[in-house]
Amino acid sequence: MPALVEADDLGLYVIKFRGAGQGTLALLAELVAGEIGRALGLRVPELVFIEVDAALGRNEPDQEIRDLLKASVGLNLALDYLPGSVMFDPAAGDDATPELASAAVWFDAFVTNVDRTPRNPNLLRWHRELYFIDHGAALYFHHKWQKVQEAALSPFAPIREHILLPWATEIEAADAEAHCRLSEKLFEEIANTLPDDWLRPDPGVPDPVAKRAAYRDYLSRRLEASSIFAKEAIRARAELV
Ligand SMILES: Nc1ncnc2c1ncn2[C@@H]1O[C@H](COP(=O)(O)OP(=O)(O)O)[C@@H](O)[C@H]1O
Ligand SMILES: [Mg+2]
């Protein structure tokens, strides 16, 4: 459950709480996937770190929210709030260009994001542009580091439910474009922004330094193998139409 807050810079932000369901893994996915989307040229609301003070929860009357705030004291993630945005809805006549849809399909297949479906688009329309939000469930490999090698090669069959797949006629071009925009260096830069405190030890990745390198290596391997999931997306689209 995200919440709208005013921060000490007077900006309005949607906070993703470390104390919520998937904990800091969801925050890591939100940050890593969000910055990859931005690097691909997609619009993602600005992502910032936000400190939740213990005082914030003390006077909260709702028990559940109080517990969430208590469990989230420390460093959390927030997105710039887009006031007046509405969810993308093809039934209301919303559509997307082939370029944008293809880049989005490639992006969600790359980061293994299942949350871009007609039921749950996580795609906001704001000032005539589309904004991509809610990447907390992406990068599912980081729930299971033992299987990281296989995960990098996943064709990602759930892409068949992607809300923009019907418009995504240029997936091959999106694949070529992504190879120009993404690199091991960029993955390393993104990994270097991950706070120590969010990086828990796992089998084979005992400390934050190893974990940042492991994120970089996973993303580099998946980029190298992108033809696997690009082909799967093209195949899934062919079955749609
Ligand atoms: N940056 C934002 N600006 C405006 N509204 C937002 C923003 N982020 C989220 N929302 C709204 O809050 C809802 C829930 O946020 P989301 O990130 O999708 O979390 P979850 O689906 O995990 O609860 C979204 O469906 C959207 O309506
Ligand atoms: Mg959502």
Side-chain angles (χ1 to χ4, degrees):
M1 171 178 41
L4 188 59
V5 294
E6 188 183 73
D8 56 11
D9 65 356
L10 302 183
L12 281 179
Y13 294 94
V14 176
I15 300 199
K16 296 297 181 109
F17 289 111
R18 60 185 300 154
Q22 298 293 336
T24 53
L25 282 181
L27 275 52
L28 289 163
E30 192 82 51
L31 180 55
V32 172
E35 293 306 336
I36 289 171
R38 199 186 317 284
L40 287 168
L42 300 171
R43 288 184 166 80
V44 177
E46 187 193 0
L47 291 163
V48 297
F49 293 114
I50 195 162
E51 195 73 42
V52 168
D53 194 283
L56 198 63
R58 271 185 214 127
N59 297 318
E60 168 57 51
D62 184 296
Q63 169 88 46
E64 212 179 318
I65 298 176
R66 197 165 58 239
D67 291 346
L68 179 63
L69 289 170
K70 250 196 219 161
S72 300
V73 169
L75 202 58
N76 293 263
L77 190 68
L79 294 86
D80 191 22
Y81 176 62
L82 309 178
S85 55
V86 291
M87 206 54 88
F88 179 84
D89 181 7
D94 288 344
D95 60 7
T97 64
E99 290 74 19
L100 178 65
S102 304
V105 164
W106 191 97
F107 165 52
D108 286 314
F110 180 69
V111 298
T112 61
N113 178 26
V114 294
D115 284 341
R116 201 93 63 203
T117 63
R119 250 177 308 108
N120 189 17
N122 292 303
L123 190 53
L124 297 175
R125 200 154 50 74
W126 192 60
H127 293 277
R128 301 183 169 277
E129 302 287 358
L130 295 182
Y131 284 77
F132 293 79
I133 62 161
D134 196 4
H135 305 112
L139 304 177
Y140 66 71
F141 79 92
H142 69 177
H143 294 269
K144 220 180 202 171
W145 286 92
Q146 303 91 316
K147 296 267 166 89
V148 63
Q149 306 282 348
E150 290 148 73
L153 307 181
S154 158
F156 195 61
I159 203 65
R160 66 175 179 272
E161 292 190 64
H162 197 284
I163 189 166
L164 296 182
L165 192 58
W167 291 277
T169 52
E170 313 290 333
I171 293 170
E172 217 167 308
D175 187 39
E177 173 77 15
H179 280 263
C180 299
R181 289 177 173 264
L182 304 182
S183 64
E184 183 166 23
K185 182 167 170 285
L186 174 84
F187 299 144
E188 181 162 310
E189 282 165 14
I190 295 174
N192 282 342
T193 67
L194 303 177
D196 277 8
D197 168 44
W198 293 1
L199 297 166
R200 303 284 155 75
D202 268 298
V205 271
D207 57 52
V209 173
K211 206 154 230 191
R212 287 191 195 95
Y215 274 100
R216 176 200 63 204
D217 292 347
Y218 167 85
L219 294 166
S220 300
R221 259 199 309 278
R222 188 150 182 79
L223 180 60
E224 261 170 49
S226 71
S227 64
I228 298 175
F229 63 81
K231 273 194 198 123
E232 172 65 16
I234 291 166
R235 197 194 58 75
R237 185 170 184 282
E239 286 195 348
L240 275 188
V241 290

